[in-house]
Amino acid sequence: MAMECLRIIGGKRLAGSVRVSGSKNASLPILAASILAESPVALSALPRLADVATLLRVLHQLGIASTYQPCGDLLIETVDASRSRAGHRLVSRMRASFCVLGPLLARRGKAVVSLPGGCNIGPRPVDLHLRALAALGAEISISHGYVIASARRLRGTHVCMAGPHGPSVTGTANVLCAATRAHGITTISGAAQEPEIEDLGRFLQRLGAQIDGLGSDTITVRGQAGLGGAVHRVIPDRIEAGTLLLAAAIAGGTVHVEGLIPAHVSRLLEALDATGVSLDVGTGHITIVACGRPRAVQITALPYPGIPSDLQAQWMALLSLADGQSIIRDEVFPGRFLHAAELSRMGARIELLGSSATIEGLPRLSGAHVTATDLRAGAALVLAGLAARGTTVVSGLEHLDRGYVNLHEKLSRLGANVERRIFRGPIIADVNDRPAAALRRPCKRF
Ligand code: EPZ
């Protein structure tokens, strides 16, 4: 059976510069929020990802046309504001499609949105979304796997977005969008402080929304009778930036990561520093120099500004090679450890207990055929393959394509031996005899 995979031959150190793409998790809620615009919207720096394409198809179902301009910007315009149903097939493929609920309610007074499917990182409830929208005055019912919501006029009120594992990021996005058209003032406490929510808020302000407190845990919105159009450039993807920094840490070498906002990865930089890598932080770039085995550290994934859950799997790949015992906890998605089993197939020594993983670092991993279970787990397996002895084959690329623009090309331009190809027949990941010691030559530090 033919299968598209990445084939990685480990042991190559990385060198050179790589530019970060636009943020997936800023682009998705901003695209959903374009439902609110009563004039055309132009978005730049949108990443060409599968998830973006899926959401554009959802918007098309909802009467919104989108066209990529020759300059790469995306022009968005409502052509039919009568539609209010986002179907199961597309929404179940990508949970972030649920972000159309708030904007539809606010702009069209009615929404029928499929409940998002579960996924491999743990339960994905939407109770915080629905409770907040009901508090704004929406009539909400659930029938046959759909959320059916309607509101003649939303009314401003106080809502709280804090849940048992921290604020809901897309829940904050949904209620923030709905509040921009509610009558009166809405206060959102326990709001997500992620940079992606701040970027959504700035986009809404450009549409004419009155919002204060962006980036804090308390956001205040004064509802408007209508919103206009806007031109907006989405922020760089801090998760991709973190993934590239961790790739350099695991493979060794000197890499300049450009086009990012260092303040968005400050806790990551602190933790990376503790592993012994050298970091030079500029205004829009970071240079990392990594050599030798990383020191063992303790990592806890937390809501922003903590280390993001979306980098937890990549951290596990790095710490599988650390000099000592590390512990990783995920307070956001306590069960987000499916990648541990795949890393163990590469020789990693990982013990799971509840929301934490204990990792006994090893001097080397060995190449294997491994399968991505979600997009960040896929990135972690690619990173592990960079440092493994022999050949690693990563399948399940449909996950990787959801969140990374040509990750294998970015890594091969940095010197990694990575190729994307279609394998026919059984896939054998051969382990060649390259001595692992060659993987970690001493190098100069800053
Ligand atoms: C966003 O998902 C991101 N996705 C996720 O990134 C990210 O992992 C997550 O936030 C946490 O930072 C997008 O922004 C498109 P949550 P979201 O609602 O909003 C619980 C990636 O790899 N919860 O913030 O769906 C929930 O179970 C993706 O790019 C409730 O209890 O996550 C979880 O434990 C994966 N009730 C925690 O809150 C709710 O109503 C955080 O969930 C909603 C969530």
Side-chain angles (χ1 to χ4, degrees):
M1 178 191 73
M3 185 191 293
E4 194 174 22
C5 301
L6 291 186
R7 191 179 75 161
I8 305 155
I9 298 178
K12 299 288 292 293
R13 294 162 59 77
L14 302 185
S17 298
V18 61
R19 178 161 288 274
V20 173
S21 301
S23 165
K24 166 178 87 80
N25 290 350
S27 301
L28 297 175
I30 286 171
L31 283 168
S34 61
I35 292 170
L36 292 162
E38 295 167 36
S39 300
V41 163
L43 296 176
S44 53
L46 279 180
R48 297 296 184 102
L49 292 167
D51 275 7
V52 169
T54 300
L55 190 53
L56 291 179
R57 290 170 62 195
V58 172
L59 293 179
H60 179 69
Q61 271 183 352
L62 294 167
I64 292 179
S66 54
T67 319
Y68 278 105
Q69 304 303 299
C71 63
D73 289 1
L74 183 72
L75 198 58
I76 300 172
E77 199 161 359
T78 296
V79 291
D80 176 358
S82 66
R83 301 185 206 166
S84 58
R85 181 189 179 90
H88 172 70
R89 196 169 54 82
L90 288 175
V91 176
S92 61
R93 182 183 300 181
M94 183 189 63
R95 173 187 168 83
S97 314
F98 200 68
C99 282
V100 303
L101 179 59
L104 280 177
L105 258 182
R107 174 82 195 280
R108 304 182 184 178
K110 182 171 169 47
V112 178
V113 182
S114 168
L115 277 168
C119 69
N120 288 323
I121 65 175
R124 307 297 296 273
V126 290
D127 56 306
L128 294 172
H129 300 237
L130 302 183
R131 192 184 311 150
L133 294 172
L136 285 172
E139 299 285 327
I140 294 178
S141 63
I142 292 180
S143 165
H144 303 296
Y146 279 83
V147 173
I148 299 157
S150 61
R152 264 191 314 284
R153 180 80 164 134
L154 295 169
R155 292 181 315 279
T157 184
H158 167 253
V159 297
C160 180
M161 291 317 296
H165 301 288
S168 169
V169 175
T170 49
T172 302
N174 258 329
V175 75
L176 180 58
C177 289
T180 60
R181 293 291 306 273
H183 185 73
I185 291 178
T186 300
T187 304
I188 307 170
S189 62
Q193 304 179 61
E194 272 69 4
E196 294 78 23
I197 293 298
E198 207 175 339
D199 202 28
L200 167 66
R202 275 198 299 276
F203 170 68
L204 292 168
Q205 287 171 328
R206 290 198 171 123
L207 292 180
Q210 303 285 318
I211 304 172
D212 291 310
L214 288 174
S216 79
D217 64 357
T218 305
I219 300 174
T220 306
V221 187
R222 177 184 296 277
Q224 305 296 302
L227 296 173
V231 176
H232 185 79
R233 180 180 188 82
V234 300
I235 55 171
D237 194 314
R238 63 189 171 100
I239 305 301
E240 186 194 30
T243 303
L244 294 167
L245 288 164
L246 286 161
I250 202 167
T254 301
V255 173
H256 311 281
V257 180
E258 300 174 339
L260 80 164
I261 300 173
H264 289 172
V265 290
S266 52
R267 292 289 168 79
L268 168 72
L269 298 179
E270 289 168 17
L272 269 175
D273 182 59
T275 67
V277 301
S278 299
L279 293 162
D280 179 30
V281 182
T283 44
H285 70 268
I286 293 173
T287 302
I288 178 170
V289 178
C291 51
R293 286 177 68 185
R295 288 198 284 263
V297 293
Q298 301 216 4
I299 297 288
T300 302
L302 291 165
Y304 193 84
I307 290 182
S309 173
D310 293 346
L311 287 177
Q312 181 257 101
Q314 298 90 318
W315 267 104
M316 191 177 281
L318 175 65
L319 298 177
S320 299
L321 291 159
D323 184 6
Q325 182 185 84
S326 303
I327 294 178
I328 293 182
R329 288 187 185 83
D330 194 324
E331 304 295 340
V332 180
F333 291 107
R336 190 178 191 171
F337 290 125
L338 279 184
H339 42 279
E342 292 302 297
L343 288 168
S344 301
R345 298 187 61 245
M346 299 175 74
R349 285 174 50 198
I350 304 163
E351 200 172 311
L352 301 180
L353 189 64
S355 66
S356 70
T358 302
I359 304 133
E360 296 295 341
L362 298 166
R364 71 182 68 85
L365 296 175
S366 62
H369 176 200
V370 287
T371 305
T373 48
D374 72 84
L375 78 99
R376 307 304 177 185
L381 296 171
V382 172
L383 266 51
L386 296 177
R389 188 178 59 170
T391 304
T392 298
V393 174
V394 181
S395 53
L397 300 191
E398 66 280 7
H399 293 291
L400 214 54
D401 292 342
R402 289 189 48 192
Y404 291 95
V405 178
N406 294 328
L407 180 63
H408 67 290
E409 284 176 7
K410 289 179 176 172
L411 292 172
S412 52
R413 278 202 296 271
L414 289 172
N417 190 331
V418 185
E419 63 166 336
R420 180 166 181 147
R421 50 178 281 200
I422 293 188
F423 282 79
R424 303 185 195 290
I427 295 172
I428 313 277
D430 61 304
V431 178
N432 64 30
D433 296 336
R434 178 194 303 271
L439 306 188
R440 304 217 164 260
R441 288 189 298 275
C443 62
K444 75 171 180 55
R445 300 171 66 80
F446 276 123

